[in-house]
């Protein structure tokens, strides 16, 4: 890829795409791109001098990106097959690569630390990127979310080491060549692509075969894979011990293969996040960071946007936003909120994401959503899908065993929260519910 002086992105506003776009700008390439709608991400890219347009039309592309000799074209699998710019580049002899293949090329030339798993990878990747950055490692971290510490999906402190989120969606992580790899979880997800859970496990095994010859694999204790294990209060190679909660933060010790390190502090609620922190610590320790630097890095870590993000946090009202979109993730959010606010009444507003996922896991969703004291359910967010007959939020609602449940429109959210006496309010989902967060915050910030 060293040959390319210009890089053109089709779908530049995607979270993973935009990080690579930033990386190429930092490496002195000319960058431009298309996306279907302007967003906060595309605005931020334009502020870096990247030209972006929002109509699929080759005439909007600057001539310096129309030379196949020096232009690399990067696309997201989310674009439709009849995309005219995509087809123009393909038909005219351009080097056209999927985002994952580009990431694969970048990682081949660096020491690569990759984090895979059906849940937890974005948080683990961003903790690991932050830890290595705090230890002043010459690292570039590609994140699948906006890190609160850097207000970006890219951490850039050099290009010798890369930290990447290895995504199993469409098997794209098989293009990576990690030195250190981690697998956080293998719950069934993306069944629209895999068909069944066994196939998913097989793909994770294939991923472990991509590790460089002297590399290391880290696995959450209990997964059916051989590797360096990590876990919470167990007999793993790396284990969190003596856990307590002080002012909403975890204080804990880490048992390592070489002894115990005391007094780590971490402020993301929920045992699942503590597990993610441990995975990142184990990888950073094996990479060679010192415990003093790691303790500072962990304590200063602020999280990823829409991952248990506190929007309002006062003594009498708490509003948290989280993008959980799978039953296991909803359970994790529930566990975290009960651990931090025992005995308080919790109202959840949930927007299901994808008809196929709702259909695949309807009983799991019903079970996990039943745990909250009150539930407001929104219609299913379709994203890339067409409706499936009979798969509706009304169908899901009927399966939820909770007397305080209601199906509502997005426009009714604030009114419904007002009617409730719940002191803890959660918005949950990966669709466009995130866009409602600022309205809810404004409505209740004043009140509190």
């Amino acid at each position: 890829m060293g040959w390319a002086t210009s890089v053109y992105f089709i779908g530049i506003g995607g979270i993973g795409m935009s990080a690579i776009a930033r990386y190429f700008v930092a490496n002195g390439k000319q960058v431009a791109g298309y996306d279907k709608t302007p967003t906060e991400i595309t605005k931020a890219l334009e502020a870096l001098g990247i030209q972006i347009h929002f109509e699929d039309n080759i005439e909007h592309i600057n001539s310096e990106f129309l030379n196949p000799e020096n232009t690399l074209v990067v696309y997201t699998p989310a674009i439709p097959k009849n995309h005219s710019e995509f087809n123009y580049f393909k038909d005219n002899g351009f080097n056209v690569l999927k985002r994952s293949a580009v990431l694969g090329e970048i990682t081949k030339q660096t020491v690569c630390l990759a984090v895979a798993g059906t849940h937890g990878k974005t948080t683990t990747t961003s903790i690991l990127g932050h830890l290595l950055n705090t230890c002043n490692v010459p690292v570039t971290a590609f994140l699948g979310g906006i890190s609160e510490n850097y207000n970006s999906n890219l951490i850039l402190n050099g290009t010798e080491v890369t930290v990447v989120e290895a995504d199993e969606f469409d098997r794209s992580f098989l293009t990576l060549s990690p030195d250190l790899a981690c697998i956080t979880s293998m719950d069934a997800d993306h069944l629209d692509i895999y068909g069944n859970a066994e196939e998913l496990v097989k793909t994770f095994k294939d991923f472990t075969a991509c590790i460089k010859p002297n590399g290391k694999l880290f696995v959450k204790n209990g997964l059916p894979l051989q590797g360096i294990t990590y876990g919470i209060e167990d007999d793993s190679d790396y284990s969190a011990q003596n856990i307590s909660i002080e002012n909403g933060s975890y204080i804990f010790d880490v048992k390592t293969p070489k002894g115990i390190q005391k007094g780590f502090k971490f402020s993301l609620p929920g045992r699942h996040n503590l597990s993610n922190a441990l995975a990142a610590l184990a990888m950073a320790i094996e990479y060679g960071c010192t415990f003093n630097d790691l303790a500072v890095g962990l304590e200063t870590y602020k999280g990823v946007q829409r991952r248990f993000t506190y929007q309002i946090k006062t003594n009498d009202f708490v509003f948290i936003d989280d993008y959980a979109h799978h039953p296991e993730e909803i359970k994790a959010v529930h566990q975290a909120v009960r651990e931090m606010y025992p005995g308080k009444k919790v109202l959840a507003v949930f927007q299901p994401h994808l008809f196929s996922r709702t259909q695949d896991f309807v009983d799991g969703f019903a079970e996990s959503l039943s745990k909250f004291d009150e539930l407001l359910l929104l219609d299913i967010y379709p994203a890339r899908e067409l409706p499936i007959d009979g798969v509706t939020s009304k169908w899901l609602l009927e399966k939820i065993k909770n007397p305080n449940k209601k199906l509502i429109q997005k426009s009714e959210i604030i009114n419904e929260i007002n009617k409730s006496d719940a002191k803890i309010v959660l918005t949950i989902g990966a669709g466009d519910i995130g866009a409602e967060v600022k309205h809810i915050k404004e409505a209740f910030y004043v009140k509190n």
Side-chain angles (χ1 to χ4, degrees):
M1 284 184 317
W3 55 268
T5 51
S6 302
V7 189
Y8 186 81
F9 287 82
I10 304 174
I12 195 165
I15 195 83
M17 293 282 279
S18 58
I20 296 177
R22 287 171 179 273
Y23 174 80
F24 281 129
V25 169
N27 277 285
K29 310 280 189 190
Q30 292 299 313
V31 177
Y34 156 88
D35 212 301
K36 61 174 190 289
T37 46
T39 59
E40 292 301 319
I41 290 179
T42 58
K43 272 190 216 138
L45 293 175
E46 287 174 314
L48 291 176
I50 297 175
Q51 283 186 343
I52 302 176
H53 59 265
F54 303 97
E55 185 198 345
D56 174 16
N57 187 338
I58 204 78
E59 287 171 13
H60 294 310
I61 303 176
N62 207 319
S63 62
E64 66 185 304
F65 297 94
L66 295 176
N67 178 356
E69 299 296 307
N70 61 5
T71 302
L72 170 66
V73 179
V74 186
Y75 73 98
T76 167
I79 58 162
K81 291 280 171 277
N82 60 356
H83 196 279
S84 69
E85 293 182 13
F86 174 70
N87 285 307
Y88 172 86
F89 286 120
K90 234 172 57 176
D91 297 343
N92 286 283
F94 282 80
N95 200 341
V96 181
L97 293 177
K98 217 160 47 170
R99 177 186 80 94
S100 52
V102 174
L103 210 47
E105 286 302 314
I106 293 169
T107 60
K108 278 191 184 76
Q109 290 135 37
T110 61
V111 175
C112 172
L113 288 75
V115 178
T118 42
H119 320 290
K121 59 182 170 288
T122 298
T123 299
T124 306
T125 309
S126 78
I127 298 170
L128 180 57
H130 178 62
L131 291 177
L132 294 180
N133 192 45
T134 309
C135 300
N136 211 15
V137 173
V139 65
T140 300
F142 296 93
L143 312 178
I146 303 292
S147 151
E148 298 278 12
N149 287 79
Y150 305 90
N151 196 28
S152 173
N153 51 349
L154 185 73
I155 301 171
L156 195 59
N157 188 42
T159 51
E160 287 167 39
V161 177
T162 46
V163 170
V164 294
E165 180 167 331
D167 197 347
E168 78 284 357
F169 176 73
D170 78 13
R171 300 186 169 85
S172 63
F173 62 3
L174 300 179
T175 57
L176 302 174
S177 314
D179 293 83
L180 302 180
C182 169
I183 296 177
T184 60
S185 52
M186 298 193 303
D187 291 307
D189 196 2
H190 298 306
L191 293 185
D192 49 334
I193 287 170
Y194 286 100
N196 64 35
E198 289 79 44
E199 187 58 27
L200 187 76
V201 172
K202 181 185 169 304
T203 303
F204 276 106
K205 290 205 163 122
D206 292 343
F207 169 65
T208 65
C210 299
I211 298 171
K212 288 178 193 157
N214 298 332
K216 293 174 182 171
L217 174 66
F218 298 77
V219 293
K220 189 176 165 103
N221 199 6
L223 291 180
L225 294 167
Q226 290 299 310
I228 298 168
T229 55
Y230 68 91
I232 294 176
E233 294 175 329
D234 61 10
D235 59 353
S236 305
D237 300 317
Y238 286 86
S239 171
Q241 308 278 359
N242 307 324
I243 302 164
S244 60
I245 295 176
E246 291 174 24
N247 300 328
S249 295
Y250 288 113
I251 310 288
F252 63 101
D253 302 335
V254 178
K255 174 178 96 56
T256 79
K258 294 180 178 163
I260 288 200
Q261 294 295 325
K262 289 195 157 76
F264 284 91
K265 183 177 179 188
F266 182 63
S267 298
L268 242 58
R271 290 288 170 119
H272 61 300
N273 283 320
L274 190 54
S275 175
N276 294 334
L278 211 62
L281 278 171
M283 291 177 83
I285 291 165
E286 295 278 344
Y287 175 78
C289 294
T290 68
F291 290 108
N292 286 353
D293 286 343
L294 290 173
V296 172
L298 200 64
E299 185 168 348
T300 54
Y301 177 75
K302 290 185 193 153
V304 177
Q305 282 176 19
R306 301 216 63 224
R307 305 298 197 285
F308 212 91
T309 304
Y310 284 103
Q311 298 290 340
I312 299 174
K313 192 179 187 180
T314 64
N315 289 335
D316 30 87
F317 188 76
V318 174
F319 169 34
I320 295 160
D321 175 45
D322 191 283
Y323 100 131
H325 54 282
H326 182 284
E328 292 302 318
E329 294 169 351
I330 295 169
K331 278 185 194 156
V333 169
H334 177 265
Q335 183 274 322
V337 82
R338 294 293 186 206
E339 189 176 41
M340 290 301 159
Y341 301 102
K344 293 268 179 79
K345 191 172 192 179
V346 180
L347 163 70
V349 185
F350 178 60
Q351 180 190 45
H353 184 263
L354 299 182
F355 298 105
S356 63
R357 190 185 280 126
T358 307
Q359 183 178 39
D360 287 340
F361 303 112
V362 68
D363 294 327
F365 279 121
E367 187 203 344
S368 60
L369 292 166
S370 301
K371 294 175 186 290
F372 298 101
D373 301 307
E374 292 180 29
L375 178 73
L376 299 173
L377 188 63
L378 300 174
D379 284 326
I380 297 170
Y381 182 77
R384 54 184 182 260
E385 295 184 335
L386 294 169
I388 298 172
D389 210 32
V391 178
T392 63
S393 284
K394 187 171 179 295
W395 175 55
L396 170 57
L397 191 78
E398 282 164 7
K399 289 180 170 277
I400 293 168
K401 294 181 175 60
N402 186 332
N404 306 311
K405 62 181 183 181
K406 191 172 183 183
L407 186 58
I408 63 163
Q409 297 300 310
K410 276 193 299 196
S411 57
E412 302 172 278
I413 296 176
I414 290 169
N415 200 12
E416 289 293 335
I417 295 174
N418 256 322
K419 288 186 202 166
S420 167
D421 60 351
K423 292 286 177 259
I424 318 289
V425 173
L426 302 169
T427 43
I428 310 173
D432 58 4
I433 188 170
E436 302 302 314
V437 169
K438 58 174 185 285
H439 306 307
I440 300 169
K441 189 174 179 174
E442 281 159 15
F444 292 94
Y445 203 73
V446 181
K447 218 172 102 169
N448 291 284

